[in-house]
Amino acid sequence: MNAVMNRRGFLHATSAAAGGLMVGFHVPGLAQAGETPELNAWVQVLPDETVVIRIARSEMGQGTLTGLAQLVAEELECDWARVKTEYPTPGQNLARNRVWGSMSTGGSRGVRDSHEYVRKGGALARALLIQAAANQWNVSVVECTTAAGFVQHGSKRLSYGQLAAEAAKLAPPADITLKPASAWKIAGRPIKRLDTRAKLDGSQVYGMDLQMPGLLNAAIKDCPVFGGKVKSFDAAAVMSRPGVKKVVQVGDSAVAVVADTWWRAKTALEALPIVWDEGPNAGQSSAETAAVLKAGLDVADAAVGSSQGDVKGALAAAARKVEAVYSYPHQNHATMEVMNATARWTVDRCEVWTPTQNGEAALAAAAEASGLPPSQCEVYKLHLGGGFGRRGAVHDWVRQAVIIAKALPGTPVKLIWSREEDMMHGRYHPVTQCKLTAGLDAAGKLTALHMRISGQSIIAGIFPQNIKDGKDPVVFQGLNAGGAEGALGYAVPNLLIDHAMRNPAVPPGFWRGVNLNQNAVYLECFIDEVAHAAKRDPLELRRELLANSPKHLAVLNAVAAKAGWGKPRPKGRHLGLAQIMGFGSYVAACAEVSVSKKGELKIHRIVASTDPGHAVNPQQIAAQVEGSFAYGLSAALYGEITLKDGRVEQQNFDTYPVMKLADMPAVETICMPSGGFWGGVGEPTIAVAAPAVLNAIFAATGKRIRDLPLRKQALV
């Protein structure tokens, strides 16, 4: 007997012995499609009554797969117990004139940007099934009803499986009416997630798990300095090592080793002599970047995000001014599953299997690297072991996998980055600083506010063509004058928010919560500073400033009430508040902390409220809020990527730690959907994690922390 068995092998063996608990691994692209016709692009009903709902967005733990399926099933009125899901491919989407719309899953848009057309997909499928039954019974469709996967007319009843083949031949109606949320029976309920069982029993296939006949494995090493290149390498030095098949230069800056196992590829790569041309960024450091950003805080030229009144005049006339400078570091996404892709290339076909937040972007990357048109390429999307924005706009690992596969035509090659490679070659949360200046009148009222942000632009780094007149609008998330995405709720008569763009060589990326994270820290901590300077209660000042923003105010009041703001607390416990609007939702948090005499921070509790307009799955919203605090607090406590001699200093979780379970506070979630709009859930509450804790630390110690992460700060 083989004494070495991994978890997946153990689960497979034991579940088989227990009567076949596990289902077989399903690998997209390796199974033949069924012959059962579809009702439309979203719904297929099989003869055994299984309802297949196609989900174009990506599942990465946030629950989009279940939430979107709930919305389709709600309108379809099928039996939820018989629902299963599948991903359509971007190649199919392209061939069918993008019938599934956008496949991008980021910006908390999975549900809020596709709810209407997926619901219509379910409703149209239901209409076809009713029509097929009505035709068979020779009755009017208005006399028929549906429930739990059946069409009924008096005592007569036909199942969806019995009707699907005929229904698929019919033309859909031109108009359809969607249910109001008040009539929901499947949507709006805390239904268990569809993907949980496969994750628990080990049958879920992630990119790193993927196996197929003839598969080889690749490890890669890119130049450790951003912008550097490969100068030379000695492939002969490792070609005789066991299992090694090929050494491949990948683009200008990387080298990969292909072997029969990934470990053999990795160890051969470590032994491979490589000489780097480190290029112009070899001497760059985080200290130099900080100095450049600091200088940008006072320059005259800056792009304006929001402006009203006369800030300069109001500050000059103020009875008192309050000023502070905050900073926010580069941070890595640090997904549990590192970047990976499996590619197979021939002269007329390129296929890629990969976890991606955007199948269409992955297809574009594969086509570009393969030298083939997109119509001759395909990407099979797998569940993500974490995304957080890293697997969205930039698909560098897909390009690399295809280039490597081109060197071994017809052979599938699985590229897996090492954790060190993943740390050193990410697309990092942008680095910024912010100088805030407030003017108070003689009564202590806030009359003027100037926020000057100096730092990196994600759009300039990824989509430079979208920069207009030197302005990146995404920089101002949560600080906009109005609108449905991230409006500033505070009413300040004289306001100026601007941005001095400063872009270091470290490549930026969309990191979960994006710019809302630092903007919430800057704004909400400074509002606390203004309250302290004016000798005002932080809650009361916020209530005054939010008097004309009822949804902002409602979530703030909810957390304050549940946390017991203004009421007696256990000795040593202190509260801090934060609120903001982002990704279409209104969120607030109240953190309860203590700080020991030795400066040890304990976050005991966080009360969080969110108003996303509509709540498709309240249980999943609560899970997302809790998860967002784990991610946001990890960043606030520990997350910092620093550069020395042009190299990222953090290599693994020993130098880039994350929050441990023992340190995680209790999270109390208030879900308060007010209706009338669709907001996001996965990202907004991350932004209020750090400022709520920082404000509570001030309440406990009287010390302002303006520079993250907290682990490098003395709290006493």
Side-chain angles (χ1 to χ4, degrees):
M1 178 179 177
N2 183 358
V4 179
M5 179 175 282
N6 61 25
R7 171 183 171 273
R8 192 171 297 277
F10 171 78
L11 285 167
H12 187 73
T14 54
S15 61
L21 170 64
M22 280 180 59
V23 298
F25 288 179
H26 170 64
V27 179
L30 297 184
Q32 295 297 318
E35 297 298 323
T36 305
E38 64 180 24
L39 293 174
N40 55 39
W42 304 99
V43 178
Q44 183 183 38
V45 180
L46 306 184
D48 68 356
E49 306 298 338
T50 298
V51 177
V52 179
I53 296 177
R54 298 195 181 106
I55 306 296
R57 308 285 180 164
S58 298
E59 178 58 54
M60 47 189 158
Q62 84 282 32
T64 288
L65 181 142
T66 301
L68 288 175
Q70 282 181 260
L71 290 173
V72 174
E74 179 62 58
E75 298 293 343
L76 182 60
E77 294 195 351
C78 63
D79 181 355
W80 179 256
R82 295 184 178 274
V83 167
K84 73 173 187 177
T85 61
E86 68 179 25
Y87 290 133
T89 69
Q92 292 169 333
N93 203 31
L94 181 65
R96 296 178 63 171
N97 197 29
R98 299 191 77 233
V99 65
W100 287 284
S102 173
M103 290 187 163
S104 175
T105 313
S108 298
R109 296 182 184 276
V111 169
R112 67 181 175 124
D113 269 14
S114 53
H115 65 89
E116 184 174 9
Y117 57 79
V118 303
R119 290 159 67 206
K120 284 182 177 179
L124 288 169
R126 173 176 170 269
L128 292 175
L129 292 163
I130 292 174
Q131 184 67 64
N135 291 348
Q136 187 167 329
W137 295 325
N138 195 28
V139 299
S140 170
V141 294
V142 299
E143 298 174 13
C144 300
T145 60
T146 56
F150 286 89
V151 181
Q152 295 174 295
H153 181 267
S155 61
K156 293 176 288 188
R157 188 169 82 152
L158 288 169
S159 73
Y160 285 3
Q162 292 172 305
L163 294 166
E166 288 303 313
K169 300 174 184 178
L170 303 175
D175 297 309
I176 205 79
T177 300
L178 299 178
K179 294 180 182 180
S182 59
W184 285 352
K185 298 176 182 177
I186 297 175
R189 291 179 54 206
I191 290 174
K192 294 179 181 178
R193 288 176 53 150
L194 295 172
D195 55 338
T196 300
R197 183 183 178 92
K199 291 176 179 177
L200 292 176
D201 67 24
S203 61
Q204 180 64 59
V205 177
Y206 291 92
M208 292 173 66
D209 301 323
L210 189 66
Q211 295 295 329
M212 61 180 70
L215 181 74
L216 296 178
N217 296 269
I220 196 165
K221 184 179 291 186
D222 211 324
C223 182
V225 177
F226 297 114
K229 298 179 180 180
V230 175
K231 193 171 185 179
S232 65
F233 60 92
D234 183 8
V238 299
M239 283 303 298
S240 61
R241 294 172 68 98
V244 172
K245 306 297 182 183
K246 204 170 187 68
V247 179
V248 182
Q249 180 167 342
V250 184
D252 293 333
S253 64
V255 181
V257 173
V258 182
D260 56 352
T261 70
W262 185 79
W263 187 253
R264 284 177 166 176
K266 177 182 183 293
T267 53
L269 182 63
E270 290 171 348
L272 179 67
I274 305 175
V275 179
W276 304 106
D277 174 2
E278 296 184 350
N281 300 316
Q284 190 174 85
S285 69
S286 293
E288 290 176 355
T289 298
V292 171
L293 267 57
K294 182 179 180 181
L297 295 174
D298 295 308
V299 297
D301 186 25
V304 175
S306 296
S307 178
Q308 88 174 29
D310 177 12
V311 166
K312 185 176 180 180
L315 288 174
R320 182 176 181 184
K321 287 200 295 185
V322 182
E323 188 172 282
V325 174
Y326 284 78
S327 66
Y328 202 94
H330 281 122
Q331 293 171 335
N332 196 303
H333 297 82
T335 59
M336 284 291 99
E337 181 189 23
V338 293
M339 301 304 107
N340 68 89
T342 297
R344 181 168 58 197
W345 182 92
T346 65
V347 293
D348 55 9
R349 182 71 172 167
C350 179
E351 295 175 290
V352 174
W353 292 260
T354 191
T356 171
Q357 290 178 237
N358 188 340
E360 292 178 300
L363 180 65
E368 180 184 19
S370 70
L372 297 170
S375 60
Q376 291 176 236
C377 301
E378 187 58 282
V379 170
Y380 304 104
K381 186 167 59 176
L382 305 172
H383 275 17
L384 288 65
F388 313 125
R390 177 62 180 95
R391 290 182 158 102
V394 179
H395 286 76
D396 40 356
W397 74 93
V398 171
R399 288 193 297 271
Q400 291 174 343
V402 172
I403 291 170
I404 296 166
K406 286 179 72 175
L408 296 103
T411 302
V413 181
K414 179 164 63 176
L415 170 66
I416 301 176
W417 286 19
S418 66
R419 176 60 64 185
E420 290 75 15
E421 192 73 11
D422 199 81
M423 283 287 181
M424 294 180 68
H425 294 286
R427 303 290 303 200
Y428 304 93
H429 191 296
V431 61
T432 60
Q433 294 182 17
C434 185
K435 182 177 181 179
L436 302 102
T437 308
L440 305 177
D441 65 14
K445 289 187 175 295
L446 180 63
T447 58
L449 175 64
H450 180 199
M451 289 183 66
R452 161 61 60 84
I453 301 168
S454 174
Q456 201 161 17
S457 160
I458 301 172
I459 300 300
I462 296 180
F463 304 121
Q465 70 276 12
N466 293 339
I467 296 292
K468 305 297 183 185
D469 300 320
K471 179 180 175 179
D472 173 1
V474 181
V475 163
F476 303 101
Q477 281 185 306
L479 307 175
N480 296 315
E485 180 65 26
L488 176 69
Y490 296 127
V492 184
N494 300 283
L495 177 72
L496 175 61
I497 304 174
D498 52 15
H499 174 224
M501 191 183 297
R502 299 293 185 270
N503 293 317
V506 178
F510 296 103
W511 190 101
R512 187 181 181 189
V514 200
N515 294 297
L516 194 71
N517 297 320
Q518 68 267 24
N519 290 345
V521 170
Y522 301 156
L523 178 66
E524 288 302 293
C525 289
F526 190 66
I527 288 294
D528 253 46
E529 294 205 42
V530 170
H532 182 71
K535 298 182 180 180
R536 300 283 303 279
D537 176 85
L539 174 60
E540 290 307 314
L541 177 61
R542 285 181 171 85
R543 283 173 169 166
E544 178 183 293
L545 296 174
L546 294 173
N548 297 321
S549 300
K551 292 188 185 300
H552 290 79
L553 185 58
V555 291
L556 176 68
N557 283 335
V559 296
K562 188 164 187 178
W565 186 273
K567 296 181 179 179
R569 314 219 58 73
K571 185 177 180 181
R573 302 281 189 95
H574 299 270
L575 301 180
L577 288 167
Q579 69 78 37
I580 204 158
M581 181 201 183
F583 303 96
S585 291
Y586 302 83
V587 296
C590 187
E592 181 174 334
V593 312
S594 62
V595 179
S596 73
K597 293 180 180 179
K598 295 181 179 179
E600 298 165 331
L601 171 67
K602 175 67 176 177
I603 308 171
H604 299 274
R605 173 190 182 210
I606 292 182
V607 178
S609 59
T610 180
D611 177 3
H614 291 288
V616 175
N617 189 320
Q619 180 185 33
Q620 190 52 38
I621 291 174
Q624 277 295 283
V625 171
E626 292 171 13
S628 72
F629 280 119
Y631 201 69
L633 292 176
S634 286
L637 292 169
Y638 310 115
E640 183 180 33
I641 290 291
T642 56
L643 224 61
K644 183 179 180 181
D645 297 328
R647 291 164 165 77
V648 169
E649 293 187 278
Q650 292 71 27
Q651 302 289 302
N652 211 312
F653 288 118
D654 58 336
T655 49
Y656 194 83
V658 296
M659 175 173 267
K660 296 179 176 63
L661 184 61
D663 298 323
M664 185 67 190
V667 177
E668 301 172 30
T669 302
I670 308 168
C671 183
M672 43 191 299
S674 59
F677 65 98
W678 291 78
V681 171
E683 294 172 274
T685 48
I686 294 177
V688 290
V693 169
L694 291 173
N695 289 334
I697 289 172
F698 173 78
T701 66
K703 185 172 184 177
R704 289 286 177 194
I705 305 298
R706 303 187 180 99
D707 185 19
L708 294 175
L710 275 162
R711 67 169 172 159
K712 67 181 185 181
Q713 303 291 341
L715 300 187
V716 294

